[in-house]
Amino acid sequence: MIRAYRATDIDRILEIWFAASLQAHHFIAPEFWQSQLENMRHLYLPAAETYLYEQDSEIVGFCSLYENNLAAIFVIPEKQGQGIGKQLLTHARSCRESLTLTVYQANEASYQFYLSQGFKVIGEQVDEHTGCPEYLMYG
């Protein structure tokens, strides 16, 4: 079930974001993700439109939209590969006419996921926070 985010969900969302970030972004030091927890809590999540995926009354994934940008889509690692990300992406697309997103070039699994969902690369850039190259995608 997908539902809107509530402020009481913040700790679970941060757990998912941190665990999935460590797994997907092995090329970035874990300390970076740790350093971003408070920004996620106080800046990024409050500014975004966020939806959660619940399975058996447990939050197992989420997506966040900021304007027409898919700012985040994360599924707890042990639940990945079960179609939850696709359902979250479908929901995000139902909220906007089109979406842009960025994905690290070294995050091959996520890059392939977005390609499989019809996104196209429209540019390349370097993430200002990590210095890692990323693709800008549209779909």
Side-chain angles (χ1 to χ4, degrees):
M1 173 182 96
I2 295 175
R3 68 167 174 84
Y5 164 84
R6 295 186 289 260
T8 54
D9 300 320
I10 188 71
D11 290 333
R12 179 63 178 157
I13 293 302
L14 291 174
E15 286 174 18
I16 292 169
W17 171 81
F18 188 70
S21 291
L22 289 177
Q23 180 202 38
H25 309 122
H26 56 86
F27 47 91
I28 297 172
E31 294 80 17
F32 171 77
W33 302 112
Q34 185 70 41
S35 76
Q36 293 301 303
L37 277 167
E38 290 308 303
N39 285 339
M40 285 294 291
R41 180 185 301 275
H42 298 294
L43 296 175
Y44 302 129
L45 286 170
E49 181 181 334
T50 298
Y51 299 94
L52 313 176
Y53 189 98
E54 282 188 335
Q55 190 175 67
D56 300 324
S57 300
E58 178 189 11
I59 301 166
V60 296
F62 74 98
C63 67
S64 294
L65 298 164
Y66 182 77
E67 298 175 349
N68 290 327
N69 187 54
L70 180 63
I73 186 166
F74 289 96
V75 176
I76 197 77
E78 56 268 22
K79 297 289 186 176
Q80 291 177 6
Q82 299 178 17
I84 295 168
K86 285 181 185 179
Q87 290 181 60
L88 285 165
L89 182 55
T90 297
H91 183 79
R93 283 181 149 162
S94 76
C95 296
R96 302 292 189 273
E97 286 187 31
S98 61
L99 292 172
T100 59
L101 61 90
T102 57
V103 60
Y104 288 115
Q105 291 180 12
N107 184 352
E108 186 66 22
S110 292
Y111 173 64
Q112 291 299 325
F113 169 74
Y114 293 125
L115 287 175
S116 76
Q117 298 305 301
F119 282 83
K120 305 280 187 242
V121 174
I122 58 170
E124 295 182 32
Q125 60 193 35
V126 174
D127 178 60
E128 66 179 293
H129 302 289
T130 63
C132 293
E134 57 188 7
Y135 293 117
L136 176 60
M137 301 184 83
Y138 176 85

